[in-house]
Amino acid sequence: MKKQLLTSSLFRFLERGIVVITSFLLTPFFINELGSTHYGLWLLILSILGWFNVVDLGFPQAIQRQIVQALELNDKKRVNVIFSTGIVLFTVLGGFSVLTLIGLTTVPAIFGVEGLDQITLVNILLILSVKVLWGFMMNPFHGFFSGMLRFDIDANISSLNAVVKAIMVFLLLSDWNIWGAVAATLASDVLTNILKIYYAKRLFPDLRFSIKLASKKELIDLFSYSKHLVINGIANTIGTKSRPLIITQLFDLPSLALASIASNLIMHTSAFVSSITGVFSPLFNKKAARKENMEKLFNQTTNINLFSSTVLFLSLFIFGKVFIILWVGNDFEYAVNLLYLGIISSLFATFSNSANTVLLAQANHKYISVITIAAVIVGITLSIVLGLKFGLIGLAAGGVVNSAIFNVFAKIILFKKYNNYNMRGLYWCLSKSVLITLVLGVAGSSLLDYLAIDTWLEFLLSATLAFPFIVLICWILLLDKSIKSILLHYVIERIPLNIKKIFIKTV
């Protein structure tokens, strides 16, 4: 099982790499073709869709959890019952979301856009409402893939989606303007959703949907598990998707484009971390179903989380400024200040990820929504107050304070209420992570300023030389011996046999 999880992590990591590469290629293309104002409009549209398309009401985790339990019992009939119930549930939720989105388009002024841009915004939202609906309907398939620990399938399909979308954007954007991005988004989603259905059926031939299989009992069980996460999901969506609206209300669309440069880099880096550690969620569900102790797994995943986060975010801290200037030009250099604050905020956020997963697996999550609501209220308040006083930098600083309060302390206090795990070592690991990132990050970025790197070749060479040292330092200072042993064993197993023989003869 560990081998399967590590392999899935590799596929998810590769998927994230493809998504990042296509995003990095598209961003300057978008800015050049659309201008900063229309690019900001496209970002706003994606953010608004995100309020609905990825709204997490707790049901995806509930379906994943129940599918894992059914597979553990080899109960194929119940798998289909859960799957069919999920399809019906998410179709209803998707329909409600579409109606809500259509209702919001009748009052477009709330999005902070005026004139012709307002008309364009409304028309695109109406067309992309179909994307919201089928985004909901695909959730049971994601739960099914993760329940069978087949993250590689989801990862490969997502990679294909990114590549197809990027190719179509390059082909259509110049002639169709922002509507080219709309067409590319719809076409790539249709293709990949068809593939998800195909591979789900191929992976589990007995999988089928029937309205008759939709079970009231399973629906009640889903709500029983998710009732606290419903509020938590709504609050999370408001918290994560409100920032673009706050920026357009306080500032303007070009400011949103500027802030998005930093936030996109943070998002992609965080996704890389999740691609490494996110595969452990079903394993926690399995252990919870067997009523096994999870302290060792919790400590290991949190440690891996912090190690992965530090390696990637430290690299981003050091090379962020050079990359942004080379990527989108000097006009966006101010985004570096937002990037540094976002990195610290994200390090705090990774600390509580495994704790959240354990609580969800144990169904000890009823107070998570309370913490999330408090975090959203405090976060939005800090963003508005500090944003009005200090601009975009104040808005980013508010995020750091909010993340420290709720991810480092509040969520862990809740976790300790149900799990009396020794976390002293993990807090020490977090402290080292932040210290390493700040000290080496400032030193490394200052060195790059001194070296005056101004070409992509120089950037790639310096990054290639620096990354192994970053990994080595974090490996020595952050990982414990047991995790080092597991990771080394996995790497050695992947070395081709002929290379092993040469190594043994040499020794």
Side-chain angles (χ1 to χ4, degrees):
M1 183 181 294
K2 287 182 179 179
K3 184 184 294 186
Q4 189 174 12
L5 289 171
L6 289 169
T7 302
S8 293
S9 289
L10 176 62
F11 275 104
R12 283 161 59 93
F13 194 84
L14 292 174
E15 171 230 338
R16 181 45 48 184
I18 292 172
V19 171
V20 168
I21 290 171
T22 55
S23 176
F24 286 163
L25 291 174
L26 286 176
T27 298
F29 184 70
F30 265 113
I31 293 173
N32 290 333
E33 293 293 331
L34 302 181
S36 60
T37 298
H38 275 181
Y39 176 58
L41 179 64
W42 177 243
L43 293 174
L44 179 61
I45 289 169
L46 294 180
S47 176
I48 295 168
L49 291 176
W51 281 68
F52 303 97
N53 200 36
V54 295
V55 66
D56 185 357
L57 299 180
F59 297 118
Q61 294 100 320
I63 288 175
Q64 175 185 309
R65 183 172 179 266
Q66 291 186 205
I67 287 177
V68 168
Q69 293 173 349
L71 291 171
E72 280 289 296
L73 299 172
N74 197 27
D75 190 343
K76 295 180 180 180
K77 181 180 178 181
R78 185 164 182 246
V79 170
N80 283 322
V81 169
I82 296 168
F83 178 76
S84 297
T85 304
I87 292 289
V88 172
L89 171 63
F90 279 106
T91 301
V92 173
L93 289 174
F96 175 77
S97 296
V98 168
L99 291 176
T100 304
L101 178 59
I102 292 173
L104 288 175
T105 59
T106 62
V107 283
I110 64 173
F111 300 123
V113 179
E114 299 177 350
L116 293 177
D117 288 337
Q118 191 176 95
I119 298 173
T120 303
L121 173 72
V122 169
N123 290 335
I124 292 177
L125 287 178
L126 290 174
I127 291 174
L128 291 182
S129 62
V130 67
K131 174 179 169 60
V132 173
L133 178 60
W134 69 46
F136 269 89
M137 294 175 67
M138 286 296 109
N139 267 309
F141 291 92
H142 296 297
F144 177 75
F145 290 138
S146 59
M148 295 195 74
L149 303 181
R150 291 306 305 270
F151 294 94
D152 54 319
I153 294 176
D154 236 351
N156 291 335
I157 292 175
S158 178
S159 299
L160 178 64
N161 180 283
V163 172
V164 171
K165 186 185 297 181
I167 292 173
M168 292 193 67
V169 165
F170 277 115
L171 292 175
L172 300 177
L173 199 67
S174 297
D175 293 329
W176 292 12
N177 203 268
I178 197 171
W179 290 100
V182 175
T185 299
L186 290 175
S188 58
D189 278 11
V190 168
L191 172 63
T192 52
N193 287 338
I194 291 173
L195 288 175
K196 287 174 186 177
I197 296 171
Y198 168 76
Y199 278 106
K201 185 66 177 177
R202 184 175 176 181
L203 181 64
F204 193 76
D206 294 319
L207 185 69
R208 67 187 182 93
F209 166 77
S210 173
I211 191 70
K212 294 179 181 179
L213 286 175
S215 166
K216 183 178 179 181
K217 179 183 179 303
E218 290 294 343
L219 189 61
I220 292 172
D221 288 342
L222 287 171
F223 272 99
S224 178
Y225 177 79
S226 302
K227 59 187 177 183
H228 301 291
L229 288 180
V230 168
I231 299 174
N232 183 71
I234 294 173
N236 256 328
T237 303
I238 294 173
T240 57
K241 302 299 179 181
S242 61
R243 178 156 295 192
L245 291 178
I246 293 174
I247 291 174
T248 55
Q249 291 289 347
L250 296 182
F251 310 110
D252 50 25
L253 287 173
S255 296
L256 177 57
L258 178 66
S260 75
I261 297 301
S263 62
N264 281 344
L265 291 174
I266 294 292
M267 176 195 67
H268 288 310
T269 306
S270 298
F272 268 120
V273 176
S274 297
S275 70
I276 298 170
T277 59
V279 296
F280 292 102
S281 178
L283 191 54
F284 280 115
N285 286 331
K286 287 179 179 287
K287 283 186 170 291
R290 298 169 185 168
K291 300 187 183 305
E292 296 178 358
N293 185 281
M294 293 185 282
E295 183 171 3
K296 182 178 179 181
L297 178 62
F298 167 75
N299 287 328
Q300 288 178 338
T301 55
T302 304
N303 196 216
I304 292 173
N305 226 353
L306 288 171
F307 166 75
S308 305
S309 298
T310 308
V311 168
L312 295 177
F313 281 116
L314 174 56
S315 301
L316 183 59
F317 200 112
I318 293 173
F319 292 97
K321 180 178 180 180
V322 174
F323 181 85
I324 288 175
I325 293 174
L326 290 173
W327 181 34
V328 289
N330 289 309
D331 291 343
F332 291 87
E333 184 178 353
Y334 184 78
V336 176
N337 301 309
L338 310 180
L339 179 69
Y340 293 154
L341 291 172
I343 287 172
I344 303 304
S345 177
S346 297
L347 286 175
F348 291 150
T350 60
F351 183 67
S352 63
N353 283 348
S354 292
N356 287 337
T357 304
V358 171
L359 291 174
L360 290 170
Q362 295 172 331
N364 290 328
H365 55 277
K366 61 182 179 179
Y367 293 116
I368 289 180
S369 59
V370 177
I371 292 178
T372 303
I373 292 171
V376 169
I377 293 173
V378 172
I380 291 177
T381 302
L382 287 172
S383 295
I384 294 173
V385 172
L386 296 180
L388 286 171
K389 188 172 182 62
F390 301 106
L392 289 175
I393 198 74
L395 193 144
V400 176
V401 175
N402 191 59
S403 184
I405 293 172
F406 292 98
N407 286 304
V408 179
F409 298 106
K411 289 184 179 179
I412 301 304
I413 291 172
L414 174 62
F415 177 78
K416 295 282 284 185
K417 173 181 173 66
Y418 298 101
N419 302 279
N420 190 26
Y421 296 170
N422 184 358
M423 296 189 60
R424 185 177 301 172
L426 295 179
Y427 270 108
W428 173 233
C429 186
L430 173 64
S431 301
K432 289 190 292 183
S433 170
V434 174
L435 186 62
I436 290 169
T437 301
L438 287 174
V439 173
L440 295 186
V442 171
S445 58
S446 299
L447 178 61
L448 292 182
D449 283 341
Y450 175 76
L451 295 175
I453 292 176
D454 55 8
T455 67
W456 280 112
L457 179 61
E458 292 174 344
F459 171 83
L460 292 174
L461 287 174
S462 59
T464 302
L465 291 173
F467 190 73
F469 289 101
I470 293 172
V471 173
L472 180 62
I473 290 171
C474 294
W475 177 277
I476 294 172
L477 296 179
L478 296 179
L479 287 179
D480 63 36
K481 292 181 180 179
S482 63
I483 297 177
K484 291 177 183 176
S485 176
I486 292 172
L487 295 177
L488 284 174
H489 180 70
Y490 176 76
V491 172
I492 291 172
E493 281 188 338
R494 296 295 177 283
I495 297 176
L497 183 60
N498 57 340
I499 296 178
K500 287 184 182 178
K501 290 179 179 178
I502 295 172
F503 175 76
I504 292 172
K505 287 180 180 179
T506 303
V507 175

